[in-house]
């Protein structure tokens, strides 16, 4: 069964601290993995995308890693800011014929950054 | 640039009333279009997707329906809302050949 599991469910950190969010998946065939940031009451916005051959990708203070062998990904946030408070969603894509991409969403990690 | 508009942003409806959520995309042609529902603490659930005008595929049986009357317009409807239809609905598009989904701002539906 195709699944994406994220941990922790929620996390509280102090402003300026670092944190790491985890994503484990059992999706086949695997095409890519993407991390989204979703502010409360808004649609998700893509942070990074990683394909099978990529191990690390950075986007500012966000660094994503991918281990395709163990089917694990992490999102590391450096020097957190209050604006980082949001839900972070891990999404794994499988390609299907006909141009339709099947996306499997994790439940997300809700991050709260406190001053 | 491509943009996606979704409305209304919030909606409170009584049980048994009809529903219409609308989504339009600008700046691209023949996009794949998607409707998702997000329940609190759960991952996004795909409701419908469309690869072309009039082509609608449903992922889960439910009280809702979708239509694509124009290339860049996607509508989510219901004839009679149920309490269980409450939730946060997200429209998304994927540009042809791309592998990223761009989401709308979402519509929060409360059925009372």
């Amino acid at each position: 069964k195709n699944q994406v599991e994220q941990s922790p469910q929620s996390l509280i950190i102090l402003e300026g601290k670092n944190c790491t969010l985890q994503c484990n998946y059992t999706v086949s065939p695997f095409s890519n993995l993407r991390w989204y940031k979703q502010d409360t009451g808004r649609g998700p916005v893509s942070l990074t995308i990683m394909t099978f051959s990529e191990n690390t990708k950075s986007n500012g203070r966000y660094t994503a890693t991918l281990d395709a062998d163990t089917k694990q990904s992490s999102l590391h946030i450096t020097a957190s800011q209050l604006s980082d408070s949001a839900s972070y969603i891990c999404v794994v894509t499988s390609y299907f014929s006909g141009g339709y991409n099947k996306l499997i969403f994790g439940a997300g990690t809700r991050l709260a950054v406190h001053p | 640039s491509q943009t996606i508009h979704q409305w209304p942003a919030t909606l409170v409806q009584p049980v048994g009333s009809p529903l219409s959520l609308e989504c339009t995309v600008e700046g691209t042609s023949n996009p794949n279009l998607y409707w998702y529902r997000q329940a609190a603490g759960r991952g996004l659930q795909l409701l419908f997707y469309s690869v072309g005008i009039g082509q609608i595929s449903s992922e889960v049986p439910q009280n809702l329906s979708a239509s694509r009357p124009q290339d860049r317009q996607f509508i989510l409807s219901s004839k009679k809302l149920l309490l269980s239809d409450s939730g946060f609905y997200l429209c998304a598009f994927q540009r042809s050949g791309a592998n990223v989904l761009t989401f709308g701002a979402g519509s929060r539906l409360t059925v009372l």
Side-chain angles (χ1 to χ4, degrees):
Chain A
K1 182 180 179 182
N2 288 332
Q3 282 186 318
V4 175
E5 296 185 351
Q6 291 186 243
S7 61
Q9 268 191 333
S10 61
L11 183 63
I12 300 174
I13 61 174
L14 294 177
E15 187 179 11
K17 298 296 185 182
N18 304 336
C19 67
T20 300
L21 314 180
Q22 300 291 341
C23 174
N24 297 339
Y25 63 92
T26 55
V27 175
S28 182
F30 172 88
S31 176
N32 61 66
L33 184 147
R34 191 180 287 272
W35 284 92
Y36 283 85
K37 177 186 179 186
Q38 184 177 20
D39 293 316
T40 301
R42 304 297 299 275
V45 175
S46 177
L47 291 175
T48 67
I49 180 172
M50 304 185 73
T51 58
F52 185 86
S53 59
E54 295 175 300
N55 300 120
T56 303
K57 185 167 283 188
S58 293
N59 177 3
R61 294 180 297 103
Y62 301 104
T63 299
T65 65
L66 175 65
D67 185 333
D69 291 331
T70 61
K71 298 187 176 180
Q72 296 179 329
S73 176
S74 66
L75 180 68
H76 186 76
I77 304 175
T78 304
S80 61
Q81 300 176 358
L82 297 179
S83 59
D84 292 330
S85 296
S87 288
Y88 291 85
I89 303 172
C90 177
V91 185
V92 179
T93 299
S94 283
Y95 279 117
F96 285 79
S97 61
Y100 162 55
N101 300 330
K102 184 172 181 65
L103 280 72
I104 299 93
F105 288 77
T109 292
R110 184 174 295 279
L111 173 67
V113 180
H114 290 181
Chain B
S1 63
Q2 298 107 41
T3 57
I4 180 170
H5 303 281
Q6 182 181 343
W7 71 93
T10 58
L11 195 60
V12 180
Q13 292 284 100
V15 170
S17 64
L19 169 74
S20 180
L21 300 180
E22 191 163 341
C23 173
T24 59
V25 177
E26 296 177 357
T28 187
S29 297
N30 196 33
N32 288 349
L33 297 172
Y34 305 81
W35 276 110
Y36 287 89
R37 176 165 55 201
Q38 186 175 37
R42 304 284 299 275
L44 274 70
Q45 179 188 36
L46 179 63
L47 301 176
F48 300 95
Y49 70 91
S50 171
V51 298
I53 296 176
Q55 300 179 59
I56 308 294
S57 296
S58 174
E59 282 289 298
V60 295
Q62 58 203 306
N63 184 42
L64 303 168
S65 62
S67 62
R68 185 171 179 173
Q70 300 181 44
D71 180 44
R72 290 169 287 180
Q73 184 184 27
F74 206 22
I75 298 172
L76 184 68
S77 304
S78 173
K79 292 182 179 178
K80 289 185 178 181
L81 284 169
L82 306 172
L83 287 175
S84 57
D85 292 324
S86 294
F88 192 56
Y89 291 83
L90 288 158
C91 180
F93 80 92
Q94 177 190 26
R95 185 168 48 89
S96 180
N99 57 15
V100 59
L101 280 187
T102 301
F103 287 87
S107 298
R108 181 160 301 284
L109 170 66
T110 303
V111 183
L112 302 175

